[in-house]
Amino acid sequence: MLQSLSIRNFVLIDELTIDFQPHFSVITGETGAGKSIILGAIGLLMGQRADSSTLRPGADRCIIEARFTHLDAAVGIMLEEEDIDSDEEECIVRREITSKGKSRAFINDTPASLQLLKRLSEYLIDIHSQHKNLLLGDAGFQLSVLDLYSGSLPQLHTYQEAYRRLREGQRAYEEAKATALALSKEQDYLQFQYDQLEEAEIEEGELEALEEEERQLSHAQEIQEELGGAVSALEDDERGALQSVHLALRSVESIRRYHSSAEEWCERLSSVRIELQDLASTLSSEAEEVTFSPKRLARVEARLDQLRGLLHKHGLESCSQLIALKEELAERLEKINSSDEDLARLAEEVEAAEAEVLRLGEALRQIRSDAARAIETALVLALQELGMPHVRFLIQIDALASPSLMGLDHVTFLFSANKEIDPEPVADIASGGEISRLMLALKALIADRRSLPTIIFDEIDTGVSGETAERIATILRRMGQSMQVLAVTHLPQIAAAGSDHFYIYKEHGEESTRSHIRHLTSEERVDEIARMQSGSKLTDVTRAAAQALLESAGGLKD
């Protein structure tokens, strides 16, 4: 429940603190006194956006803080998931807005996002205002009423998990189908490319080897001539390098007995002679092996043209890249060939997921249908109590063309307040006063089935008066026996039924106007009810009438 509310520097409020009580309390005041300001402050704690215009003129910071007690277990679980300290006894929510428009939110003194405030508020408080009556015509709200009343939320969550699996399977199937279609369109071209590379029988490093061979074949005669010249330069009997080394070796050997270094020089010259002899032999053999073959050159050039053409066609630079491309094409062709099997498997998975969704959806529909009949009976009785003796209320459940996240059903509330008019959709036929009473009856019906300790009604009495107002007061007071109910009202019948009464008023100074709120004593309640009944002029008669109304409504404390 909402234990206390503290507001500082918000619109027309300097500073105030309200301690609320359990059960049913009312808030009254003259039009424009500031009731909407209080609700606006609570709205900020529920995650509504704010700006600097909410600050009291001249203030640099606005602070709104509420303390909630008697918490639902879901609150502690949510806070633990968000790494926020959780107290089983209370939860403190605070908003701060600066004059620069910056806003910060805190839960138990830990910074929190507005999204988290919105989620948390679903377990703490519900503000029902006139514009929320519009929800009555919303199919989503109507469906949620059925699920809340029936207690089918666990089944709904199970269904939604199955529905999400179905949607994921459908997306996977459609993506695979689109990919297979795109690949099939280029299958012939891919196969042609692969066959061309396969027939080419490309080997690693083949291009470089062929280019080397081409250079040799193109210059075979020149190579032979130059190698022959090199051999002659080494082996010529008169001027060859070997003859010169031989003569040098003989000269050095002749001084071996007289010069100590000659031994080393002889060894080195002998080594040079052996190396030159080996080199001459190698060059001679190579010259004999080099032959000019026009046929071989033509084959090499043709093969190079083939390889270079493939490289140019695919924008590649080496045979290894062509080999990698062939492997990639093989994989893509394999994927195309196996796509039919993959699609068949995915289709079976989608079919199974859809069958599960339909099974769970049908079970959910049965629960909703049973709840609909119970709600119809309970609401008719409640609305008759609220002064609608000939009311008819039906809940129509139609099957959707295809499953949705919320199930297989489309729900429509049908309503008629008169005998001669057939029930039609609520949004099309109900008046403002009728919608207010219908919404109150719904709220009262599902109040005990929600984990919500506090509900605030903002002028739920719109369009009603007299005996109907008394009946509304009775319902609110009854709701207050199991939860905290706050009602902002202009009707004395409702105000008199509250266990506690808060009065909002304005004080006008020379330069400013400020809103205040106070908890009324029994005597002050009599005066306020009298004012609401008869206007500002208070007499013994009007006070006596107010006293009688309070006693009959049960609003006076012992």
Side-chain angles (χ1 to χ4, degrees):
M1 61 170 276
L2 177 60
Q3 188 72 36
S4 64
L5 176 68
S6 174
I7 304 174
R8 187 187 308 166
N9 297 327
F10 181 67
V11 192
L12 299 179
I13 297 174
D14 281 331
E15 184 171 359
L16 64 80
T17 297
I18 316 170
D19 292 319
F20 293 101
Q21 304 300 318
H23 309 306
F24 175 40
S25 300
V26 296
I27 301 174
T28 65
E30 295 182 359
T31 301
K35 296 184 293 297
S36 61
I37 297 176
I38 302 294
L39 297 179
I42 296 175
L44 290 177
L45 296 176
M46 297 173 67
Q48 294 179 5
R49 295 197 172 274
D51 53 47
S52 57
S53 64
T54 60
L55 267 71
R56 178 181 60 79
D60 60 356
R61 182 182 301 273
C62 162
I63 300 176
I64 303 168
E65 182 175 287
R67 184 162 65 94
F68 296 91
T69 59
H70 301 83
L71 305 176
D72 184 83
V75 173
I77 295 173
M78 183 183 300
L79 296 184
E80 288 179 5
E81 290 175 349
E82 298 292 335
D83 292 328
I84 295 176
D85 290 338
S86 175
D87 186 335
E88 295 181 358
E89 298 298 324
E90 67 176 19
C91 176
I92 298 175
V93 182
R94 186 171 78 253
R95 283 288 296 275
E96 297 182 2
I97 301 112
T98 69
S99 58
K100 295 181 179 180
K102 293 184 178 180
S103 171
R104 296 192 301 169
F106 301 86
I107 300 174
N108 292 342
D109 288 327
T110 300
S113 66
L114 294 187
Q115 188 62 37
L116 179 57
L117 287 192
K118 291 179 181 179
R119 289 172 50 209
L120 182 65
S121 68
E122 293 178 3
Y123 297 94
L124 297 176
I125 193 168
D126 175 27
I127 298 180
H128 179 81
S129 56
Q130 290 185 47
H131 76 273
K132 281 199 174 181
N133 287 334
L134 300 176
L135 286 174
L136 201 52
D138 180 76
F141 173 78
Q142 295 174 1
L143 189 59
S144 70
V145 169
L146 279 185
D147 290 335
L148 281 171
Y149 184 84
S150 66
S152 62
L153 291 181
Q155 290 89 336
L156 175 61
H157 294 157
T158 301
Y159 166 87
Q160 289 176 331
E161 291 174 1
Y163 178 79
R164 291 188 180 95
R165 288 193 296 270
L166 170 61
R167 294 296 296 149
E168 289 171 1
Q170 289 173 331
R171 281 192 291 270
Y173 175 79
E174 292 300 327
E175 290 174 1
K177 186 177 179 180
T179 300
L181 179 62
L183 289 174
S184 65
K185 290 181 179 178
E186 59 176 337
Q187 182 176 13
D188 291 342
Y189 180 61
L190 293 175
Q191 189 66 55
F192 169 76
Q193 289 183 312
Y194 174 80
D195 292 343
Q196 193 177 41
L197 292 172
E198 178 69 13
E199 292 170 2
E201 297 181 348
I202 303 166
E203 297 180 1
E204 194 81 32
E206 183 181 2
L207 181 66
E208 293 79 5
L210 288 172
E211 288 175 340
E212 174 65 21
E213 185 177 359
E214 180 194 34
R215 286 192 293 271
Q216 290 185 8
L217 290 170
S218 299
H219 299 83
Q221 185 174 354
E222 181 182 351
I223 292 172
Q224 283 182 328
E225 291 176 356
E226 294 301 329
L227 287 177
V231 171
S232 296
L234 291 173
E235 295 182 338
D236 187 87
D237 291 339
E238 295 182 359
R239 294 179 299 169
L242 281 170
Q243 179 64 21
S244 298
V245 171
H246 176 69
L247 292 174
L249 179 58
R250 288 179 58 185
S251 297
V252 174
E253 283 179 340
S254 66
I255 65 170
R256 184 185 297 176
R257 293 178 296 172
Y258 318 117
H259 200 296
S260 59
S261 298
E263 185 67 30
E264 178 189 352
W265 296 337
C266 285
E267 291 178 0
R268 293 173 66 183
L269 284 169
S270 295
S271 177
V272 168
R273 184 177 65 177
I274 292 171
E275 178 65 23
L276 289 176
Q277 287 173 340
D278 182 67
L279 179 59
S281 176
T282 299
L283 294 176
S284 178
S285 298
E286 186 69 21
E288 291 176 1
E289 291 180 3
V290 174
T291 59
F292 176 66
S293 174
K295 290 183 179 180
R296 175 59 185 169
L297 178 60
R299 287 197 298 271
V300 169
E301 289 176 340
R303 179 62 170 172
L304 282 173
D305 287 344
Q306 181 186 19
L307 293 177
R308 287 167 179 161
L310 290 172
L311 289 170
H312 178 73
K313 175 181 178 179
H314 297 290
L316 303 176
E317 298 179 354
S318 67
C319 288
S320 61
Q321 291 177 330
L322 286 174
I323 294 171
L325 174 61
K326 186 184 75 170
E327 294 173 351
E328 178 186 340
L329 290 171
E331 291 178 1
R332 294 175 68 181
L333 288 168
E334 176 64 25
K335 188 174 182 180
I336 292 174
N337 294 332
S338 63
S339 61
D340 289 343
E341 297 178 4
D342 293 338
L343 283 176
R345 176 181 55 79
L346 289 172
E348 289 179 1
E349 292 177 358
V350 168
E351 185 177 354
E354 187 171 18
E356 178 68 2
V357 164
L358 293 176
R359 184 186 70 81
L360 294 171
E362 291 293 346
L364 189 59
R365 172 179 293 162
Q366 186 58 53
I367 296 174
R368 288 168 170 171
S369 296
D370 294 342
R373 305 293 80 82
I375 291 174
E376 288 171 351
T377 301
L379 271 186
V380 167
L381 292 175
L383 292 172
Q384 288 174 345
E385 184 182 352
L386 289 172
M388 302 169 69
H390 305 299
V391 67
R392 282 180 288 169
F393 181 83
L394 300 173
I395 298 177
Q396 179 177 301
I397 301 178
D398 298 310
L400 293 171
S402 59
S404 74
L405 181 61
M406 296 305 295
L408 311 179
D409 313 311
H410 180 274
V411 173
T412 306
F413 284 1
L414 303 177
F415 171 85
S416 173
N418 304 295
K419 291 181 180 180
E420 65 275 11
I421 299 178
D422 291 332
E424 294 185 26
V426 168
D428 298 337
I429 194 171
S431 66
E434 290 167 343
I435 286 180
S436 292
R437 281 176 279 177
L438 179 55
M439 199 63 163
L440 173 61
L442 276 174
K443 291 276 186 177
L445 190 63
I446 63 177
D448 290 338
R449 300 175 186 261
R450 296 184 64 187
S451 298
L452 187 68
T454 300
I455 185 169
I456 300 177
F457 289 101
D458 180 15
E459 300 184 1
I460 192 66
D461 48 29
T462 299
V464 299
S465 60
E467 185 178 353
T468 301
E470 293 177 3
R471 291 171 176 172
I472 289 177
T474 300
I475 291 177
L476 293 176
R477 189 171 180 84
R478 189 187 306 151
M479 289 177 65
Q481 293 173 1
S482 59
M483 64 187 301
Q484 184 186 46
V485 178
L486 303 175
V488 177
T489 183
H490 290 290
L491 294 182
Q493 296 93 331
I494 294 176
S499 299
D500 290 272
H501 192 150
F502 297 90
Y503 178 67
I504 296 179
Y505 61 98
K506 283 183 179 179
E507 285 187 348
H508 300 279
E510 293 184 0
E511 298 181 356
S512 63
T513 299
R514 294 290 177 262
S515 291
H516 304 276
I517 188 170
R518 71 170 184 267
H519 184 261
L520 297 184
T521 64
S522 297
E523 291 77 12
E524 290 173 330
R525 289 195 72 183
V526 171
D527 288 349
E528 172 62 4
I529 297 298
R531 182 193 64 78
M532 296 176 72
Q533 285 182 309
S534 307
S536 58
K537 186 177 181 180
L538 300 180
T539 64
D540 292 341
V541 174
T542 59
R543 285 191 175 92
Q547 178 80 23
L549 179 59
L550 280 163
E551 290 175 353
S552 64
L556 283 180
K557 294 182 179 180
D558 295 335

Coordinates of all heavy atoms in Angstrom, one line a residue, residues 272-330:
V272 N 89.6 -24.3 -55.4 CA 89.0 -23.5 -56.5 C 89.0 -24.3 -57.8 O 88.0 -24.2 -58.6 CB 89.8 -22.2 -56.7 CG1 89.4 -21.5 -58.0 CG2 89.6 -21.2 -55.5
R273 N 90.1 -25.1 -58.1 CA 90.1 -25.8 -59.3 C 89.0 -26.9 -59.3 O 88.4 -27.1 -60.3 CB 91.5 -26.5 -59.4 CG 91.7 -27.3 -60.8 CD 93.1 -27.8 -60.9 NE 93.3 -28.9 -59.9 CZ 94.4 -29.6 -59.8 NH1 95.4 -29.3 -60.6 NH2 94.6 -30.5 -58.8
I274 N 88.8 -27.6 -58.2 CA 87.8 -28.6 -58.1 C 86.4 -28.0 -58.3 O 85.6 -28.5 -59.0 CB 87.8 -29.3 -56.7 CG1 89.1 -30.1 -56.6 CG2 86.6 -30.2 -56.5 CD1 89.4 -30.7 -55.2
E275 N 86.2 -26.8 -57.7 CA 84.9 -26.1 -57.9 C 84.6 -25.7 -59.3 O 83.5 -25.9 -59.9 CB 84.8 -24.9 -56.9 CG 83.5 -24.1 -57.0 CD 82.3 -24.9 -56.6 OE1 82.4 -25.8 -55.8 OE2 81.2 -24.5 -57.0
L276 N 85.7 -25.2 -60.0 CA 85.6 -24.8 -61.4 C 85.3 -26.0 -62.3 O 84.6 -25.9 -63.2 CB 86.8 -24.0 -61.8 CG 87.0 -22.6 -61.2 CD1 88.3 -22.0 -61.6 CD2 85.8 -21.7 -61.6
Q277 N 86.0 -27.1 -62.0 CA 85.8 -28.3 -62.8 C 84.3 -28.8 -62.6 O 83.7 -29.1 -63.6 CB 86.7 -29.4 -62.3 CG 88.2 -29.2 -62.8 CD 89.1 -30.2 -62.2 OE1 88.8 -30.8 -61.2 NE2 90.3 -30.3 -62.8
D278 N 83.8 -28.7 -61.4 CA 82.4 -29.2 -61.2 C 81.4 -28.2 -61.9 O 80.4 -28.7 -62.5 CB 82.1 -29.2 -59.7 CG 80.7 -29.7 -59.4 OD1 80.5 -30.9 -59.7 OD2 79.9 -28.9 -58.9
L279 N 81.7 -26.9 -61.8 CA 80.8 -25.9 -62.4 C 80.8 -26.1 -63.9 O 79.8 -26.0 -64.6 CB 81.3 -24.5 -62.0 CG 80.5 -23.4 -62.6 CD1 79.0 -23.5 -62.2 CD2 81.0 -22.0 -62.1
A280 N 82.0 -26.3 -64.5 CA 82.1 -26.5 -65.9 C 81.3 -27.7 -66.4 O 80.6 -27.7 -67.4 CB 83.6 -26.6 -66.3
S281 N 81.4 -28.8 -65.6 CA 80.7 -30.0 -65.9 C 79.2 -29.8 -65.8 O 78.4 -30.2 -66.7 CB 81.1 -31.1 -64.9 OG 80.3 -32.3 -65.2
T282 N 78.7 -29.0 -64.8 CA 77.3 -28.7 -64.7 C 76.8 -27.9 -65.8 O 75.7 -28.2 -66.4 CB 77.0 -28.0 -63.3 OG1 77.4 -28.8 -62.2 CG2 75.6 -27.7 -63.2
L283 N 77.5 -26.8 -66.2 CA 77.1 -26.0 -67.3 C 77.1 -26.7 -68.6 O 76.2 -26.5 -69.4 CB 78.1 -24.8 -67.4 CG 78.1 -23.8 -66.2 CD1 79.1 -22.7 -66.4 CD2 76.7 -23.1 -66.0
S284 N 78.0 -27.6 -68.8 CA 78.1 -28.4 -70.0 C 76.8 -29.3 -70.1 O 76.2 -29.4 -71.1 CB 79.3 -29.2 -70.1 OG 79.4 -30.0 -71.2
S285 N 76.5 -30.0 -69.0 CA 75.3 -30.9 -69.0 C 74.1 -30.1 -69.2 O 73.2 -30.5 -69.9 CB 75.3 -31.6 -67.6 OG 76.4 -32.4 -67.4
E286 N 73.9 -28.9 -68.6 CA 72.7 -28.1 -68.7 C 72.6 -27.6 -70.2 O 71.5 -27.6 -70.7 CB 72.8 -26.9 -67.8 CG 71.5 -26.0 -67.8 CD 70.4 -26.7 -67.1 OE1 70.6 -27.7 -66.3 OE2 69.2 -26.3 -67.4
A287 N 73.7 -27.3 -70.8 CA 73.7 -26.8 -72.2 C 73.2 -28.0 -73.1 O 72.5 -27.7 -74.1 CB 75.1 -26.4 -72.6
E288 N 73.6 -29.2 -72.8 CA 73.2 -30.3 -73.6 C 71.7 -30.6 -73.4 O 71.0 -31.1 -74.3 CB 74.0 -31.6 -73.2 CG 75.4 -31.5 -73.6 CD 76.2 -32.7 -73.1 OE1 75.6 -33.6 -72.5 OE2 77.5 -32.7 -73.4
E289 N 71.1 -30.3 -72.2 CA 69.7 -30.6 -71.9 C 68.8 -29.6 -72.5 O 67.6 -29.9 -72.7 CB 69.5 -30.7 -70.4 CG 70.2 -32.0 -69.8 CD 69.9 -32.1 -68.3 OE1 69.2 -31.2 -67.8 OE2 70.4 -33.0 -67.7
V290 N 69.2 -28.4 -72.6 CA 68.4 -27.3 -73.1 C 68.1 -27.5 -74.6 O 69.1 -27.5 -75.4 CB 69.0 -25.9 -72.9 CG1 68.1 -24.8 -73.6 CG2 69.1 -25.6 -71.4
T291 N 66.8 -27.7 -74.9 CA 66.5 -27.9 -76.3 C 65.3 -27.0 -76.6 O 64.5 -26.7 -75.7 CB 66.1 -29.4 -76.5 OG1 65.0 -29.7 -75.7 CG2 67.2 -30.3 -76.3
F292 N 65.2 -26.6 -77.8 CA 64.1 -25.8 -78.3 C 63.0 -26.6 -78.9 O 63.3 -27.4 -79.8 CB 64.6 -24.7 -79.3 CG 63.4 -23.9 -79.9 CD1 62.7 -23.0 -79.1 CD2 63.1 -24.1 -81.2 CE1 61.7 -22.3 -79.6 CE2 62.0 -23.3 -81.7 CZ 61.3 -22.4 -80.9
S293 N 61.8 -26.6 -78.2 CA 60.6 -27.4 -78.7 C 59.4 -26.5 -78.9 O 58.7 -26.1 -78.0 CB 60.3 -28.5 -77.6 OG 59.1 -29.2 -78.0
P294 N 59.2 -26.2 -80.2 CA 58.0 -25.3 -80.5 C 56.7 -25.9 -80.0 O 55.8 -25.2 -79.6 CB 58.1 -25.3 -82.0 CG 59.5 -25.5 -82.4 CD 60.0 -26.5 -81.4
K295 N 56.6 -27.3 -80.1 CA 55.3 -27.9 -79.7 C 55.1 -27.7 -78.2 O 54.0 -27.4 -77.7 CB 55.3 -29.4 -80.0 CG 55.2 -29.6 -81.5 CD 55.2 -31.1 -81.8 CE 55.0 -31.4 -83.3 NZ 55.0 -32.9 -83.5
R296 N 56.2 -27.9 -77.4 CA 56.1 -27.8 -76.0 C 55.8 -26.3 -75.6 O 55.0 -26.0 -74.7 CB 57.4 -28.3 -75.3 CG 57.4 -28.0 -73.8 CD 56.3 -28.7 -73.1 NE 56.2 -28.4 -71.6 CZ 55.2 -28.7 -70.8 NH1 54.1 -29.3 -71.3 NH2 55.2 -28.4 -69.6
L297 N 56.5 -25.4 -76.3 CA 56.2 -24.0 -76.0 C 54.8 -23.6 -76.3 O 54.2 -22.8 -75.5 CB 57.2 -23.1 -76.9 CG 57.0 -21.6 -76.7 CD1 57.3 -21.2 -75.3 CD2 58.0 -20.9 -77.7
A298 N 54.2 -24.1 -77.4 CA 52.8 -23.8 -77.7 C 51.9 -24.4 -76.6 O 50.9 -23.7 -76.3 CB 52.5 -24.4 -79.1
R299 N 52.2 -25.6 -76.1 CA 51.3 -26.1 -75.1 C 51.4 -25.3 -73.8 O 50.4 -25.1 -73.1 CB 51.7 -27.6 -74.8 CG 51.3 -28.6 -75.9 CD 51.4 -30.0 -75.4 NE 52.7 -30.4 -75.0 CZ 53.6 -30.9 -75.8 NH1 53.3 -31.1 -77.1 NH2 54.8 -31.3 -75.3
V300 N 52.6 -24.9 -73.4 CA 52.8 -24.1 -72.2 C 52.1 -22.7 -72.4 O 51.4 -22.3 -71.5 CB 54.3 -23.8 -72.0 CG1 54.5 -22.8 -70.9 CG2 55.0 -25.1 -71.5
E301 N 52.2 -22.1 -73.5 CA 51.6 -20.8 -73.7 C 50.1 -21.0 -73.7 O 49.4 -20.1 -73.2 CB 52.0 -20.2 -75.1 CG 53.5 -19.7 -75.0 CD 54.0 -19.2 -76.4 OE1 53.3 -19.6 -77.4 OE2 54.9 -18.5 -76.4
A302 N 49.5 -22.1 -74.3 CA 48.1 -22.3 -74.2 C 47.6 -22.5 -72.8 O 46.5 -22.0 -72.4 CB 47.8 -23.5 -75.1
R303 N 48.4 -23.3 -72.0 CA 48.0 -23.5 -70.6 C 48.0 -22.2 -69.8 O 47.2 -21.9 -69.0 CB 48.9 -24.5 -70.0 CG 48.7 -24.9 -68.5 CD 47.3 -25.5 -68.3 NE 47.1 -26.0 -67.0 CZ 46.0 -26.4 -66.5 NH1 44.9 -26.4 -67.2 NH2 45.9 -26.9 -65.2
L304 N 49.1 -21.4 -70.1 CA 49.2 -20.1 -69.4 C 48.0 -19.2 -69.8 O 47.4 -18.5 -68.9 CB 50.5 -19.4 -69.7 CG 51.7 -19.9 -69.0 CD1 53.0 -19.3 -69.6 CD2 51.6 -19.7 -67.5
D305 N 47.6 -19.2 -71.0 CA 46.4 -18.4 -71.5 C 45.2 -18.9 -70.7 O 44.4 -18.1 -70.3 CB 46.2 -18.5 -73.0 CG 47.3 -17.8 -73.8 OD1 48.0 -16.9 -73.2 OD2 47.5 -18.1 -75.0
Q306 N 45.0 -20.2 -70.6 CA 43.9 -20.7 -69.9 C 43.9 -20.3 -68.4 O 42.8 -19.8 -67.9 CB 43.9 -22.3 -70.0 CG 42.7 -22.9 -69.3 CD 42.8 -24.4 -69.2 OE1 43.8 -25.0 -69.4 NE2 41.6 -25.1 -69.1
L307 N 45.0 -20.4 -67.8 CA 45.1 -20.1 -66.3 C 44.9 -18.6 -66.1 O 44.1 -18.1 -65.3 CB 46.4 -20.5 -65.7 CG 46.6 -22.0 -65.6 CD1 48.0 -22.3 -65.1 CD2 45.6 -22.7 -64.8
R308 N 45.5 -17.8 -67.0 CA 45.4 -16.3 -66.9 C 44.0 -15.9 -67.2 O 43.5 -14.9 -66.6 CB 46.4 -15.6 -67.8 CG 47.9 -15.8 -67.3 CD 48.8 -15.4 -68.3 NE 50.2 -15.4 -67.8 CZ 51.3 -15.5 -68.6 NH1 51.2 -15.5 -69.9 NH2 52.5 -15.6 -68.1
G309 N 43.3 -16.5 -68.1 CA 41.9 -16.2 -68.4 C 41.0 -16.5 -67.2 O 40.1 -15.7 -66.9
L310 N 41.3 -17.6 -66.5 CA 40.4 -17.9 -65.4 C 40.7 -16.9 -64.2 O 39.8 -16.5 -63.5 CB 40.8 -19.3 -64.9 CG 40.2 -20.5 -65.8 CD1 40.8 -21.8 -65.3 CD2 38.7 -20.5 -65.8
L311 N 42.0 -16.5 -64.1 CA 42.3 -15.6 -63.0 C 41.7 -14.2 -63.3 O 41.1 -13.6 -62.4 CB 43.8 -15.4 -62.9 CG 44.6 -16.6 -62.3 CD1 46.1 -16.4 -62.5 CD2 44.3 -16.7 -60.8
H312 N 41.7 -13.8 -64.6 CA 41.1 -12.5 -64.9 C 39.6 -12.6 -64.8 O 39.0 -11.6 -64.3 CB 41.5 -12.2 -66.4 CG 40.9 -10.9 -66.9 ND1 41.3 -9.7 -66.4 CD2 39.8 -10.7 -67.7 CE1 40.6 -8.7 -67.0 NE2 39.7 -9.3 -67.8
K313 N 39.0 -13.7 -65.2 CA 37.6 -13.8 -65.1 C 37.1 -13.7 -63.6 O 36.0 -13.1 -63.4 CB 37.1 -15.2 -65.7 CG 35.7 -15.5 -65.5 CD 35.4 -16.9 -66.1 CE 33.9 -17.2 -65.9 NZ 33.5 -18.5 -66.5
H314 N 37.8 -14.3 -62.7 CA 37.3 -14.3 -61.3 C 38.0 -13.2 -60.5 O 37.7 -13.2 -59.3 CB 37.6 -15.7 -60.7 CG 36.8 -16.8 -61.4 ND1 35.5 -16.9 -61.3 CD2 37.2 -17.8 -62.2 CE1 35.0 -18.0 -62.0 NE2 36.1 -18.5 -62.6
G315 N 38.9 -12.4 -61.1 CA 39.5 -11.4 -60.4 C 40.5 -11.9 -59.3 O 40.6 -11.3 -58.2
L316 N 41.2 -12.9 -59.6 CA 42.1 -13.5 -58.6 C 43.6 -13.4 -59.1 O 43.8 -12.9 -60.2 CB 41.8 -15.0 -58.4 CG 40.3 -15.3 -57.9 CD1 40.0 -16.8 -57.9 CD2 40.1 -14.6 -56.6
E317 N 44.5 -13.8 -58.3 CA 45.9 -13.6 -58.6 C 46.7 -14.9 -58.6 O 47.9 -14.8 -59.1 CB 46.5 -12.6 -57.6 CG 45.9 -11.2 -57.7 CD 46.5 -10.3 -56.6 OE1 47.3 -10.7 -55.9 OE2 46.1 -9.1 -56.7
S318 N 46.3 -16.0 -58.1 CA 47.1 -17.2 -58.0 C 46.3 -18.4 -58.2 O 45.0 -18.4 -58.0 CB 47.8 -17.2 -56.6 OG 46.8 -17.4 -55.6
C319 N 47.0 -19.5 -58.5 CA 46.3 -20.8 -58.6 C 45.7 -21.3 -57.3 O 44.6 -21.9 -57.3 CB 47.3 -21.9 -59.1 SG 47.8 -21.6 -60.9
S320 N 46.3 -21.0 -56.2 CA 45.7 -21.4 -54.9 C 44.4 -20.7 -54.7 O 43.5 -21.3 -54.1 CB 46.7 -21.0 -53.8 OG 46.9 -19.6 -53.8
Q321 N 44.2 -19.5 -55.2 CA 42.9 -18.8 -55.0 C 41.9 -19.5 -55.9 O 40.7 -19.6 -55.6 CB 43.1 -17.3 -55.3 CG 43.9 -16.6 -54.3 CD 44.1 -15.1 -54.7 OE1 44.1 -14.7 -55.8 NE2 44.2 -14.3 -53.6
L322 N 42.3 -19.9 -57.1 CA 41.4 -20.6 -58.0 C 40.9 -21.9 -57.4 O 39.7 -22.3 -57.5 CB 42.0 -20.8 -59.3 CG 42.2 -19.6 -60.3 CD1 42.9 -20.0 -61.5 CD2 40.8 -19.1 -60.7
I323 N 41.8 -22.6 -56.8 CA 41.5 -23.9 -56.1 C 40.5 -23.6 -54.9 O 39.6 -24.4 -54.8 CB 42.8 -24.6 -55.6 CG1 43.7 -25.0 -56.8 CG2 42.4 -25.8 -54.7 CD1 45.0 -25.5 -56.4
A324 N 40.8 -22.6 -54.2 CA 39.9 -22.2 -53.1 C 38.5 -21.9 -53.6 O 37.5 -22.2 -53.0 CB 40.4 -21.1 -52.3
L325 N 38.4 -21.1 -54.7 CA 37.1 -20.8 -55.3 C 36.4 -22.0 -55.7 O 35.2 -22.1 -55.5 CB 37.4 -19.9 -56.5 CG 36.1 -19.5 -57.3 CD1 35.1 -18.8 -56.5 CD2 36.5 -18.7 -58.6
K326 N 37.1 -23.0 -56.3 CA 36.4 -24.2 -56.7 C 35.8 -25.0 -55.5 O 34.7 -25.5 -55.6 CB 37.4 -25.2 -57.4 CG 36.8 -26.4 -58.0 CD 37.8 -27.3 -58.6 CE 38.6 -28.1 -57.5 NZ 39.4 -29.2 -58.1
E327 N 36.5 -25.0 -54.4 CA 36.0 -25.6 -53.2 C 34.8 -24.8 -52.7 O 33.8 -25.5 -52.2 CB 37.1 -25.6 -52.1 CG 38.3 -26.5 -52.5 CD 39.4 -26.5 -51.5 OE1 39.4 -25.6 -50.6 OE2 40.4 -27.3 -51.6
E328 N 34.8 -23.5 -52.7 CA 33.7 -22.7 -52.3 C 32.5 -23.0 -53.2 O 31.3 -23.1 -52.7 CB 34.1 -21.2 -52.4 CG 32.9 -20.3 -51.9 CD 33.2 -18.8 -52.1 OE1 34.4 -18.5 -52.2 OE2 32.3 -18.0 -52.2
L329 N 32.7 -23.1 -54.5 CA 31.6 -23.3 -55.4 C 31.0 -24.7 -55.1 O 29.8 -24.9 -55.2 CB 32.1 -23.3 -56.8 CG 32.4 -21.9 -57.4 CD1 33.1 -21.9 -58.7 CD2 31.1 -21.0 -57.4
A330 N 31.9 -25.7 -54.8 CA 31.4 -27.0 -54.5 C 30.5 -27.0 -53.2 O 29.4 -27.7 -53.2 CB 32.6 -28.0 -54.2

